[in-house]
Amino acid sequence: MERKLVKHSEIRSCAGEYYLQSLLFGFHKFFISLLTDEDINNLSPLKVAQISMIAGGISSSCTLTLTYQLYLCQTLIAAYRGRPEDAKYSTVFGCLRRVYLKEGIRGTFTGFYMSQAFVITSRTLYFGLYDTIKSFHLPMYNLPPTFVKFLYAQTTTLIASFVAYPMETISRRLILEAGLKRKVYHGDSIKCIKVLYREEGIKGFFAGGLTNMIRSVGGAIVLVLHEDFSRRAVKWIELHKH
């Protein structure tokens, strides 16, 4: 049973992240193309900030809407801390089925609005700040361009993670009540904020924040690699057109 849980967890994490990141970056490029016909790298920093932030916010909202049930199940399965043999579900479909049988379709959207607020805030800053910093063409001090971009990406990822983290905390608290009979928050974001502040104070909103900041390194690497591979892919396509 334990090996089965580990196997499903690995498949869920890899497939879920690949699907989510593919949609996110694809939507971001698509919405940028709708917002401007020009190359974003040739625009002023202010214009870049406006376009990239709008595209980042819309793309993250669309991505979460299409993958929310996956996000909900991922959160529920990852939060389980008991013995593997006592787990009520070990797969995304098993988790989703249990929540659906307990609360119907509505239960599968538990915490949806706060999750939307979290991802929109996070990805607006994630994409917007990164593209804006690049548009200033700051000196590189003889450092490799890829490393400089990573520093930009890491800075913006840390800022985005820190600003949006309280919303992520609230979102997860709401999601963890999906499928339960006894609830504290009943899907109410305002009540969750009040209870969390009363019982844990401001620190409660940032519980696990340090781990999240360390995890942001992965987000920075993905951002840089995606840009690099996209540029290389475009050059390869243009080279083989004729």
Side-chain angles (χ1 to χ4, degrees), residues 18 84 110 114 130 185 192 218:
Y18 176 80
T110 301
M114 184 53 68
Y130 177 69
Y185 313 121
C192 181

Side-chain angles (χ1 to χ4, degrees), residues 2 23 54 74 124 128 159 173 184 201 235:
E2 185 172 358
L23 282 175
I54 292 172
Q74 182 180 10
T124 294
I159 294 173
R173 292 291 181 101
V184 176
K235 287 183 178 180

Side-chain angles (χ1 to χ4, degrees), residues 169-170 173-174 177 183-205:
T169 299
I170 298 166
R173 292 291 181 101
L174 295 173
E177 289 194 336
K183 298 178 182 287
V184 176
Y185 313 121
H186 298 279
D188 189 338
S189 301
I190 302 300
K191 184 176 182 180
C192 181
I193 294 172
K194 290 180 178 179
V195 172
L196 184 58
Y197 179 74
R198 184 175 66 248
E199 295 183 353
E200 302 181 39
I202 294 296
K203 291 183 179 180
F205 293 95

